Amino acid sequence: VQLVQSGGGSVQTGGTLTLSCVALGQIRRSCGMGWYRQGVEVERELVGIIKPDGKTTYGDFVKGRFTISQYNANYTVYLQMNNLETSDTAVYYCAAEFGRGCYSDQLYPNYMSRGTQVTVSS
């Protein structure tokens, strides 16, 4: 399975960016997909996840600014980021948990994309 990510780039504060990610390959079962990010000298943190039933969970810093959505038919997940702040500058990674028992509301990724840079400038 490969996670192919697109989107990202540079934007000014208050701007909007949308990332997308599609899972390619043979997928037997999805426990969910989501997004993580890692800034400079900062540990990787959860942006948000979406479960197959559409339930979403977001990191505390999101504060209603980001929306995760999905298209289950082809294992595609989107991250729309509004009102971006300079603190949102980071490499953003798509993540997925496939082929497991799916016993938790959380996500324990066993697949992750290469990441894409998002830069927010003032």
Side-chain angles (χ1 to χ4, degrees), residues 20-79:
S20 62
C21 173
V22 59
L24 302 177
Q26 192 167 12
I27 300 167
R28 292 186 290 113
R29 181 177 185 178
S30 175
C31 299
M33 299 181 72
W35 297 90
Y36 290 77
R37 73 181 189 181
Q38 185 166 14
V40 176
E41 299 182 352
V42 177
E43 290 188 357
R44 188 172 296 180
E45 61 181 344
L46 173 71
V47 177
I49 65 172
I50 186 165
K51 305 295 278 184
D53 62 2
K55 180 180 178 181
T56 54
T57 303
Y58 294 96
D60 291 341
F61 66 87
V62 171
K63 298 178 182 177
R65 300 180 298 128
F66 298 176
T67 301
I68 294 176
S69 58
Q70 66 184 353
Y71 183 54
N72 281 339
N74 64 353
Y75 299 104
T76 300
V77 64
Y78 305 93
L79 174 64

Side-chain angles (χ1 to χ4, degrees), residues 8 11 17-18 23 25-26 32 34-35 38 54-55 62-65 85 90 98 102 105 108-110 113 115-116 118:
V11 67
L17 281 176
T18 299
Q26 192 167 12
W35 297 90
Q38 185 166 14
K55 180 180 178 181
V62 171
K63 298 178 182 177
R65 300 180 298 128
E85 305 168 354
F98 294 145
C102 307
D105 287 339
Y108 297 94
N110 53 351
S113 68
T116 188
V118 170

